[in-house]
Amino acid sequence: MANGQTEQMNALTEKLRLRLDEDQLTNCMRCGFCLPACPTFSETGLEAESPRGRIALMKAVTDGIMVPDQAFEDQMNHCLGCRACEPACPAGVQYGQLIEQARDAIEDHKEHKTWVKVTRKAAFKTVFPHQKRMKWVGRGLKFYQKSGLRNVAHATGAMKLFPKHMRDMEKILPDATGQGVVEQIGERHPAKGEKIATVALFRGCIMDVLFTETNIHTVDLLTAAGFEVVIPRDQNCCGALHAHSGEAEGARDLARRNIKIFKEAGVDYIVSNAGGCGALLIEYDHLLHEDPQWRDDAVWFAKRVVDISDLLVRAGRRLDFSQDNTPGDAEPVRITYQDSCHLRNVMRSADAPRKLMRQVEGAQFIEMKNADRCCGSAGIYNITQPEMAGQILDHKMEHVEATGASYLLTSNPGCLLQMKHGIEEQGLSGQMKAVHIVDFLHERMKK
Amino acid sequence: MLQEEVRRELISILGSEHFKDDPQSLVTHSYDGTPMLQSLPDAVVYPSSTEQVSQIMKVLSRHKIPVVGRGSGTNLCGGTVPVQGGVVMVMHRMNQILEIDLENLTATVQPGLNTKQFSTHVESLGLFYPPDPSSMSISTIGGNIAECSGGLRGLKYGTTKDYVIGLEAVLANGDIIRTGGKLMKDVAGYDLTKLLVGSEGTLAIITEATLKLVPPPRYKKTMLAMYKDLYGAARTVSKIIENRIIPATLEILDNATIRVVDDFAKLGLPLDMEAILIIEQDGDEEAVERDIAIITEVCKSEKADQVSIAASQEEADKLLTARRSAFTALARLRPTTILEDATVPRSKIADMVIEINRIAKKHQVQISTFGHAGDGNLHPTATTDARNKEEIERVDEAFEEIFEAAIRLGGTITGEHGVGMVKSPFLEWKVGPAGMEVMKAIKSSFDPHNLLNPGKVFAKETRKRVVIQRG
């Protein structure tokens, strides 16, 4: 090995030693209870592809048994970050934090190729942190979709210049908008009937560009259930994509800005309708625990974060889901649900969405086998690790099809896009639709 | 690192995809579920057939390279740590159910099959495979056989050894042997099947197993009893058996465990209780109801403070929460959790728990005890921190005394985890010098060059036994 390379690796070792939480590494007692919960272990059967294996690799680096090579970096990035291992762990190891610390050290250390650097900078520093700029993206995307440019791109084969998995994704993207939820319906919405509490809606950056309707429907459900809703205009991206991609400082910066804005709004709850965002919001206290200036406010914030389903079930007035769009004597419509990993494993909310689905009249909820397993979307995993993501999706779609459901519901935009992609790819579009649970409930709510 | 020639030979048998010696593979096969043990192998292989295992063994024995068979690496005795390097043989690719024979009620399976998957499949056919080690959701049948795993149902249904009736195994020199069969009776020669069960990978690599299945119980009932007097709980255990009742499970939690579990799961358990018994009976409805009535009477006559009987599965699950959370609650207490399995005749349960508490206090270490009271198999569990060398020494000393106490009470150093590396210095205490000689002779007749899982079961040196004279 060339000397330069060795030095590079030693520098990474040092970075990992500084970043990785030694207590968490020691807390893993290697019982192996996480293995059956891990999607990449299930797919490969390889110990290195399991949470226990990855923690052992991290520990081996900090113990000086192993030098972090390219295979080590790849292995850290191969993890979906679904965190299904955490509820399975008897010792309560915070695996999610460990994997993000490892990725952060790797990212910090890495010399990216120029084009990757430019793209990462554009995404993580220039676009995502600024909701206004996200809207430009929305408008650009909308222009592309509506102006006929999309047809030109498809007809001329220009899309073929992109890798297959990106082409597939482009096909299922919903119509984007440059007008977010605040622009469309305003900032403040009184409760219908007696007010139970005041809540702030966390609109999300991608949610608000691609799924603005869902945000509007979220407000409708909340006000109908007795909540006054405010949507702070200046809120930002939650920082999840940053945190999961080894850009911890960027994530912390966004967290501080969001905490400030929501604190000023003075609300009882901060409601998210995207499991991926909610899971990071609820961990702002962890993210900022070393920041004395922000620590207490971060705890204040994290305590108030709740998913829409959870809040409706826990504190809301029971909604009337008797809006039946089907003819009287028709069979009940079959619905099924794909858990958002972060909603289930981090926000620990698995029962609430199921309870709501069971309340819908004229619908029959079918529990899907392995619904608690990651669908392979995992943030931007389906873009960075298309092969493993594809393998996981194929297995997922077998279970989806077996339910015979007409609606496949989920609670996170990434999962929703992945499910739409799966349905399209398996040629099931004629019989089944992937829909955000909020949109389905809204459609069935008696208005 | 293996010699280039050996690598080439192994790759030609396995294909390059199923031979690994990159740092990542070596590090992730350097440990198992045992705390504080780690040793790197030289290579990891993933065979797909008995024939491949045989060919691999021929190569390895020709070059005198050690080999450690491995399922999922969940054992707690250091059984799959490659302490002398060599090759770790992972059996995950040999994971098929080869046959379920409904006429003979047997299953023939490959060793890499997941225990839980097997058990669920068997249950879907209306049959029952009782061994239920706590690691069953990840462990393999091969690993269970190598360690002779037990579980909660050991008292009534027995352990792995009672369900293995035939084996195919590869010897160190690559020869393939078949033992037993789909036979409930077979006295043709020494019982090599039973010998291989629990041999911890030191005699042969198991490549196929024929397992006995039984009809499942039709009905089940769960109850819980709390005691302020440990001896009252212990007498309850003995009296239940005296009443000719063998419960399906009969578990105990001591006061230290009750406190930790309550703090973790917020169950509102009374903290002045010295012991909780969790009892399950299964069988035909009428018999189960009768047994539960008798057990309730026994509990009351032994002055149980509270007795609760579950009216539904939901309530049963609630009663079982305390037992189910025991390990989790203890594991979260401190970074390192050392779970042992000293076992005594069930009449000595109370004496043993009191001995454990005395020893823990003497060495100023935190040891909580829970376990299978019905079969005398206790799990004294030390919660500590591997980074604190001085404390770890005190934990070691305490466990040494606990093993000694178990033997003094007519028990054993390990009931279901195996000897491995952890308990090898104490094996002679249990089996005696003559016993050791016989075992060593058996080992060398199977494996003359000591290549199969070397460094396990037999220690270089037996720990000097200090018998404590008391009273």
Side-chain angles (χ1 to χ4, degrees), chain A residues 313-444:
Chain A
V313 169
R314 206 202 300 170
R317 262 197 296 281
R318 194 176 164 130
L319 296 168
D320 177 5
F321 294 120
S322 62
Q323 181 67 41
D324 206 347
N325 305 324
T326 47
D329 55 350
E331 293 269 307
V333 53
R334 289 162 78 94
I335 58 176
T336 193
Y337 180 69
Q338 162 63 32
D339 278 288
S340 146
C341 294
H342 283 185
L343 182 58
R344 185 185 181 98
N345 302 322
V346 185
M347 302 186 84
R348 304 282 167 110
S349 176
D351 292 345
R354 288 173 169 81
K355 272 192 188 136
L356 289 171
M357 286 182 283
R358 289 203 167 94
Q359 287 174 11
V360 175
E361 283 175 36
Q364 185 192 0
F365 173 68
I366 317 274
E367 184 68 52
M368 170 168 72
K369 192 179 171 200
N370 289 352
D372 59 348
R373 281 300 178 99
C374 183
C375 64
S377 162
I380 51 171
Y381 189 91
N382 49 1
I383 297 167
T384 57
Q385 306 279 349
E387 208 176 304
M388 177 63 79
Q391 210 176 316
I392 290 172
L393 181 61
D394 287 347
H395 288 146
K396 176 62 68 187
M397 292 317 292
E398 287 168 20
H399 299 312
V400 168
E401 208 177 342
T403 63
S406 315
Y407 286 92
L408 169 55
L409 305 183
T410 181
S411 297
N412 185 54
C415 315
L416 183 54
L417 288 177
Q418 178 83 338
M419 292 297 90
K420 283 175 186 276
H421 170 43
I423 289 173
E424 172 95 2
E425 203 180 54
Q426 302 288 318
L428 298 172
S429 335
Q431 61 200 72
M432 175 182 284
K433 239 165 93 176
V435 176
H436 194 293
I437 184 170
V438 162
D439 295 330
F440 183 77
L441 293 175
H442 186 265
E443 185 190 289
R444 295 292 173 133

Side-chain angles (χ1 to χ4, degrees), chain A residues 21-32:
Chain A
D21 184 337
E22 195 209 335
D23 286 336
Q24 294 296 334
L25 289 178
T26 315
N27 283 347
C28 171
M29 54 186 176
R30 298 180 174 170
C31 63

Side-chain angles (χ1 to χ4, degrees), chain A residues 22-23 26-27 29-33 35-36 41 45-48 52-53 56-57 60 65-66 71 75 89-92, chain B residues 20 23-24 27-29 31-33 38 40 46 70 72-74 92 134-135 137-138 327-328 331-332 335 337 385 387:
Chain A
E22 195 209 335
D23 286 336
T26 315
N27 283 347
M29 54 186 176
R30 298 180 174 170
C31 63
F33 281 26
L35 273 69
F41 178 76
L46 297 174
E47 176 79 20
R52 175 173 72 170
L57 290 170
I65 296 172
M66 178 184 166
Q75 189 52 264
C89 175
Chain B
K20 292 184 189 286
Q24 179 167 290
V27 165
T28 52
H29 293 85
Y31 55 80
D32 55 25
Q38 186 159 26
L40 293 172
Y46 303 82
R70 187 183 190 273
S72 296
T74 55
H92 273 184
S134 299
S135 58
S137 66
I138 183 58
F327 180 57
T328 301
R332 283 168 195 234
T337 309
D385 189 333
R387 293 166 292 188

Side-chain angles (χ1 to χ4, degrees), chain B residues 52 84 103 229 317 342 359 398 461:
Chain B
Q52 278 193 355
Q84 296 184 12
E103 285 175 22
D229 172 20
D317 287 340
I359 293 165
E461 227 177 301

Side-chain angles (χ1 to χ4, degrees), chain B residues 253-299:
Chain B
L253 308 183
D254 79 345
N255 179 272
T257 312
I258 295 169
R259 285 171 182 275
V260 174
V261 165
D262 190 67
D263 189 46
F264 168 72
K266 310 276 179 255
L267 299 172
L269 298 171
L271 299 181
D272 56 342
M273 294 296 157
E274 282 303 315
I276 291 180
L277 291 180
I278 293 143
I279 306 159
E280 267 192 327
Q281 180 59 307
D282 62 13
D284 288 334
E285 184 168 348
E286 200 184 323
V288 170
E289 292 293 353
R290 191 191 56 222
D291 286 354
I292 290 289
I294 297 172
I295 295 170
T296 308
E297 280 315 305
V298 171
C299 293

Side-chain angles (χ1 to χ4, degrees), chain B residues 363-439:
Chain B
H363 294 276
Q364 290 182 311
V365 291
Q366 195 170 9
I367 299 182
S368 315
T369 303
F370 64 96
H372 320 302
D375 51 28
N377 179 195
L378 293 174
H379 291 308
T381 304
T383 44
T384 175
D385 189 333
R387 293 166 292 188
N388 184 341
K389 298 285 169 262
E390 185 270 333
E391 186 179 323
I392 293 293
E393 267 174 39
R394 282 187 280 125
V395 169
D396 284 344
E397 283 166 14
F399 272 123
E400 196 170 323
E401 280 187 37
I402 287 171
F403 298 146
E404 201 282 324
I407 289 176
R408 182 156 33 84
L409 292 169
T412 180
I413 54 173
T414 171
E416 59 182 0
H417 295 171
V419 175
M421 291 165 71
V422 174
K423 270 156 292 189
S424 60
F426 311 102
L427 180 58
E428 193 173 324
W429 294 6
K430 171 70 174 76
V431 303
M436 289 300 289
E437 285 315 307
V438 174
M439 287 192 191

Side-chain angles (χ1 to χ4, degrees), chain A residues 78 94 108 127 134 207 272 409-410:
Chain A
H78 223 208
Q94 307 281 315
D108 197 19
V127 181
M134 280 303 290
M207 279 302 295
S272 149
L409 305 183
T410 181

